[in-house]
Amino acid sequence: MFYISDYFEFIRGNQNNMAKCETGNIPLISAKKVDNGYKDFIKSNGKKLFPKHILTLNNDGDGGVGLAYYQPVESALDTHVTALVPKLDLSKYALLFVSRCISHQREKFSHGYSLNNQRLHSQKIMLPENMDGQPRWVYMSNYLQQIQLQQIAPYFSCQDRLH
C-alpha cells in the first residue's frame, strides 16, 4: 500500500462560476461521473489552467465522488475537482492504471463524505510493487498497453480481411 501523496501533488480546481464562462476551446473538467469529467469547452478567463498528462479526481458531485480520470490535454478544473500532478515522470499508461486503482476505492466516499485535502493526504492506494517495496511503474504501463492492444487488435484483423 502506498500513499497517493507520495507520488502526486494535489491542486484544487479554481473555476467557481461556470455559468459566466464563455465558449472556447479549453476543456472544462467538472465532477461528472461520465465522459472523463468533461463538462464543456471554455475560453481562457485568467484563471489557472492545469497541465496535460495529469489525473483529475472528483471531490464530490453527481455520484462521481472518488472517480479519477487521465487528462491528456491542458484543461480548466472546477472547484469540485482536484488535479493529481505526478511527482515522477510516469507514462500515460501508468497514470491510467493508477486512475483505475483510485476509482476502485470510490465506494467509501459520498456526497456527505467528500474528498478534501486532509482525506486525500491520508488516502492509500494498492499498486503492484517490486522486491524493494517500490511501485512497479513499468509493469503497470506494459499491462495497460497490452489491454489496449487486445481491444484494438480485432479492428486490424478485420481491416486485413477487407484487402
Side-chain angles (χ1 to χ4, degrees):
M1 301 265 293
F2 302 94
Y3 286 100
I4 297 173
S5 59
D6 288 342
Y7 302 100
F8 295 90
E9 293 179 42
F10 309 135
I11 305 170
R12 191 74 177 240
N14 57 5
Q15 296 291 332
N16 59 352
N17 194 348
M18 291 177 281
K20 289 191 175 181
C21 292
E22 295 180 46
T23 301
N25 61 355
I26 300 168
L28 173 62
I29 310 300
S30 68
K32 292 179 65 174
K33 62 182 173 185
V34 295
D35 300 330
N36 217 51
Y38 286 98
K39 180 178 181 81
D40 210 343
F41 289 87
I42 64 170
K43 282 185 182 178
S44 179
N45 57 11
K47 293 187 178 184
K48 175 182 175 61
L49 295 178
F50 293 81
K52 64 182 179 179
H53 194 64
I54 63 169
L55 298 180
T56 55
L57 180 60
N58 294 352
N59 301 319
D60 50 42
D62 68 349
V65 63
L67 287 176
Y69 299 114
Y70 173 71
Q71 302 301 338
V73 297
E74 182 180 57
S75 50
L77 306 183
D78 86 12
T79 57
H80 300 280
V81 177
T82 297
L84 304 183
V85 181
K87 294 179 180 180
L88 305 171
D89 184 20
L90 300 175
S91 74
K92 165 189 172 180
Y93 297 100
L95 289 174
L96 285 166
F97 191 101
V98 170
S99 73
R100 181 64 184 120
C101 292
I102 292 171
S103 294
H104 189 68
Q105 300 182 61
R106 68 184 284 242
E107 288 80 24
K108 66 177 156 182
F109 299 102
S110 66
H111 194 67
Y113 189 70
S114 63
L115 268 166
N116 58 31
N117 270 2
Q118 182 180 356
R119 289 182 184 135
L120 199 48
H121 277 282
S122 63
Q123 183 69 28
K124 291 184 178 180
I125 184 173
M126 291 182 66
L127 298 172
E129 62 183 79
N130 62 25
M131 297 295 234
D132 297 328
Q134 296 301 310
R136 294 181 61 196
W137 300 115
V138 172
Y139 168 81
M140 291 180 244
S141 183
N142 290 342
Y143 180 78
L144 259 288
Q145 287 179 62
Q146 185 62 37
I147 288 175
Q148 183 180 41
L149 286 173
Q150 289 172 354
Q151 294 292 317
I152 64 173
Y155 297 103
F156 289 118
S157 62
C158 177
Q159 196 173 37
D160 290 341
R161 287 181 280 198
L162 294 175
H163 290 89

